[in-house]
Amino acid sequence: MNRDLDQFRDAVDALANTPRIGGTPVRVMLRDEELRQAAEPLEESVALMEILYPVMLALSVLAAAAGSALFVLLAAKDAAILRVQGTGKGRVRLMLSLQLVITNLAGLVIGLAGVLGYLAGRQPELLGTILEPAAFCGVMYLFAAAAGAGAAAAAVTRGNPLELLQVKE
């Protein structure tokens, strides 16, 4: 785009100055300063977004793990009741983790279907380019949510269930 203008200018000069019968040399002048002024900030913005995208993705994954862990920690009383009733630690951990993983999976499928449906109706040419990155981000989000839920479920079920049921004043 903007960085190819010098090559374009050289190619046009070479074409304009090809030997002709009785021709005079021609110098082609391109007035591209306005284009350069408009394109340079856009190129800088694209470069900044290429740097910030991995950071945003990492923060999103951490937020997914933290959010899932928080929801499991809020269900600590339910886990304690299940443990007092005789349910094994592994089963309680599995129940707490799967509850969040299934909810996250349903939300991801609905969200991805909505985005793809919108793009199919509005801009079908973007459909092929967004599918793979969106699926990758969704899988990363799902794994992070599962890891956060699993770690929090292990922390909740590690202790004595009767201590979790006591009201702290």
Side-chain angles (χ1 to χ4, degrees):
M1 188 169 122
N2 194 24
R3 58 189 153 251
D4 297 334
L5 287 175
D6 293 330
Q7 294 172 354
F8 177 73
R9 181 181 289 129
D10 293 341
V12 169
D13 277 341
L15 186 62
N17 291 319
T18 54
R20 293 184 290 271
I21 300 175
T24 58
V26 177
R27 171 87 174 123
V28 176
M29 293 185 64
L30 294 177
R31 300 186 188 267
D32 61 346
E33 286 306 314
E34 290 179 12
L35 178 61
R36 285 183 191 269
Q37 288 175 356
E40 282 177 7
L42 291 175
E43 287 180 348
E44 291 172 1
S45 295
V46 168
L48 180 64
M49 293 308 288
E50 287 175 350
I51 294 170
L52 291 179
Y53 180 74
V55 173
M56 183 269 318
L57 191 59
L59 288 175
S60 175
V61 166
L62 289 174
S68 293
L70 179 65
F71 280 123
V72 170
L73 291 175
L74 289 174
K77 188 174 182 179
D78 297 334
I81 291 171
L82 287 170
R83 289 284 295 129
V84 167
Q85 289 178 344
T87 308
K89 284 184 181 182
R91 188 177 193 110
V92 171
R93 289 176 183 167
L94 184 66
M95 288 170 57
L96 289 174
S97 298
L98 280 181
Q99 178 181 1
L100 282 168
V101 168
I102 290 171
T103 304
N104 281 326
L105 181 63
L108 283 172
V109 168
I110 291 169
L112 189 60
V115 167
L116 294 178
Y118 175 78
L119 283 178
R122 298 284 181 163
Q123 297 174 335
E125 65 276 0
L126 290 179
L127 199 58
T129 60
I130 201 168
L131 183 60
E132 185 177 325
F136 173 73
C137 290
V139 168
M140 284 185 59
Y141 180 85
L142 188 63
F143 281 149
V156 164
T157 58
R158 186 178 302 131
N160 184 359
L162 293 176
E163 291 176 5
L164 291 173
L165 290 174
Q166 292 178 353
V167 176
K168 296 178 184 173
E169 296 180 19

